[in-house]
Amino acid sequence: MINETLTMIPGPTPVHPRILAALARPTVSHVAPAFVEEFRAALVDLRTLCQSATAQPFIVAGSGTLAMEIALVNLAAPGERILVISQGYFGDRFAELAAAFGIHCDLVRSEWGHAVAPAEVAQRLSGNSYTAVTMTHVDTATGTAAPVEAYCELLRGRDELVILDGVCATGGIDERFDQWGLDVLLTGPQKAIGAPPGVALCLFSERALERRRARSSVPAYYADILRWLPIMQDPGRYFATPCVNEIVALAAALRIVHEEGLPARFARHDRISRAFRAGLEALGLALFTAPDCRAATLSVVLLPDGVADAALRKEIAARGVVVAGGLGPIAGKAFRLGHMGNIGAGEVATVLTAIEGSLRALGVSAKPGAAVAAASSILSGK
Ligand code: PMP
């Protein structure tokens, strides 16, 4: 495509033309019946995506960080203590949020590129009690997928509320709200759901709503879920103007998610991630994340010796593909390739070809066609 780039960062991800067309529909009143119906459909489809029969969905203008804040500020009060399980940059953000609200925090952290072992969580939980435990399904800085189901098993039957950040997972990796016993699943539209950014998404269990109701107030106004609850139960009501176009686009994105079906969608993410990794390895590239915890939604790729981060990403961009740089301790040492949302074999081939050409341009020997051949053998199931 002329003057079009393929955005392959770990969010925002490419937005399907059907979703873009929905975004471009005329802005209407937030109480127009047709909009209210779209809003209602988005709420129902979000709950289905999170595999819950009864949890309360919330869709509020903002970003994933607002969804994190909504979870924390409604469920933990200043002076109370939470446990934060962190695999890196975005896990640590919960600790920063807690500090901003005077909530005490115990942090159990892994080395970057590894997941926190459930045994470490078990150790923290024994003899301690917390208001809530936060977990990050996929840390977008490190490419690590956490063993969330195993953490949840440890929390079964306990009083701690279970808060899961699914921003870099929801829509691409299985997440079972009811079965795992989650209390909040918070997420964003701009990653594996494939919609444009602009809304904070979360689901609250009945237990979590009860805990909020038991508090007379929380240190928030816009982020107080009790102000939003009537709107989420009847989207024709008003509290603060919803982002009409983004919600219509989200509804279109969620329709696509359910047309594909969750098992097929998760299997596609798994297949595409394996195809990308086979292709990257065929180019002699190594991955940063430990093999036992690599997320299906992105890959963190180590730079070959002698190749500078900026130079490589510039070459890749010159071939029409945008990838992201490393964050924190791996800045300048790795690049991050998003492979989630509404992408398929075409994107795999385009991206691998762009990386291969870029490496050659920088003097790294890369066998022409080797990456795409390795990826295709996985995509075709051979
Ligand atoms: N959590 C995770 C795992 C993320 O990847 C991100 C965004 N990269 C966030 C939270 C924050 O979301 P946002 O940038 O939309 O505020």
Side-chain angles (χ1 to χ4, degrees):
M1 283 183 286
I2 297 166
N3 292 334
E4 292 283 348
T5 49
L6 184 56
T7 303
M8 297 297 286
I9 63 173
T13 57
V15 179
H16 189 283
R18 257 175 73 189
I19 301 167
L20 285 176
L23 185 69
R25 281 188 354 221
T27 301
V28 295
S29 159
H30 57 286
V31 292
F35 170 69
V36 171
E37 275 321 298
E38 289 284 313
F39 200 164
R40 209 185 300 278
L43 289 161
V44 170
D45 283 349
L46 175 62
R47 180 163 66 193
T48 308
L49 169 58
C50 299
Q51 302 180 60
S52 177
T54 54
Q56 175 60 53
F58 292 85
I59 300 174
V60 175
S63 80
T65 305
L66 175 66
M68 296 172 78
E69 186 160 323
I70 287 173
L72 220 52
V73 82
N74 281 282
L75 298 179
E80 294 179 359
R81 187 169 292 278
I82 64 167
L83 178 65
V84 170
I85 306 171
S86 175
Q87 264 89 219
Y89 186 92
F90 288 101
D92 289 356
R93 184 167 287 192
F94 274 119
E96 291 173 13
L97 270 164
F101 289 101
I103 299 162
H104 300 304
C105 165
D106 281 359
L107 191 54
V108 53
R109 256 204 192 115
S110 64
E111 194 189 320
W112 271 45
H114 295 264
V116 173
E120 274 183 75
V121 176
Q123 208 174 16
R124 294 296 182 114
L125 289 173
S126 94
N128 287 314
S129 68
Y130 299 95
T131 300
V133 177
T134 71
M135 16 185 120
T136 310
H137 200 163
V138 173
D139 200 297
T140 321
T142 66
T144 307
V148 172
E149 198 176 353
Y151 300 156
C152 288
E153 272 311 309
L154 298 170
L155 287 157
R156 207 166 277 281
R158 294 181 56 116
D159 279 343
E160 285 89 0
L161 293 167
V162 183
I163 299 173
L164 177 64
D165 172 349
V167 172
C168 197
T170 312
I173 304 178
D174 205 6
E175 290 182 322
R176 303 183 177 197
F177 191 97
D178 289 353
Q179 194 178 322
W180 293 354
L182 300 178
D183 289 293
V184 179
L185 174 51
L186 65 99
T187 191
Q190 75 272 23
K191 299 195 186 236
I193 294 174
V199 277
L201 308 173
C202 39
L203 227 64
F204 272 61
S205 69
E206 186 50 39
R207 177 168 86 147
L209 287 176
E210 279 309 314
R211 294 277 184 97
R212 166 63 194 90
R213 287 192 189 103
R215 298 184 190 279
S216 55
S217 66
V218 295
Y221 182 80
Y222 185 80
D224 181 350
I225 53 161
L226 291 191
R227 294 188 194 279
W228 286 108
L229 190 56
I231 288 78
M232 301 304 143
Q233 291 171 339
D234 173 7
R237 298 176 66 177
Y238 170 77
F239 163 52
T241 310
C243 45
V244 172
N245 295 63
E246 281 81 359
I247 289 173
V248 172
L250 173 68
L254 290 169
R255 229 167 267 134
I256 289 175
V257 166
H258 292 303
E259 280 169 19
E260 183 174 11
L262 298 186
R265 195 170 176 93
F266 301 147
R268 175 172 58 80
H269 278 79
D270 174 63
R271 195 165 58 244
I272 285 179
S273 67
R274 286 186 291 109
F276 263 124
R277 284 167 194 160
L280 294 165
E281 279 163 14
L283 293 175
L285 296 170
L287 299 177
F288 169 72
T289 315
D292 62 345
C293 58
R294 288 178 185 156
T297 47
L298 81 156
S299 292
V300 183
V301 188
L302 292 166
L303 295 168
D305 283 344
V307 171
D309 174 40
L312 180 61
R313 284 195 285 136
K314 195 171 159 204
E315 287 291 338
I316 296 173
R319 288 162 176 79
V321 176
V322 177
V323 298
L327 285 177
I330 52 170
K333 296 181 184 150
F335 70 88
R336 293 176 305 140
L337 171 64
H339 35 71
M340 60 189 139
N342 295 316
I343 57 160
E347 284 80 5
V348 175
T350 305
V351 171
L352 289 174
T353 305
I355 295 173
E356 182 190 294
S358 303
L359 288 173
R360 257 202 311 282
L362 294 171
V364 178
S365 73
K367 196 170 150 225
V372 172
S376 324
S377 71
I378 287 181
L379 292 175
S380 62
K382 286 184 194 132

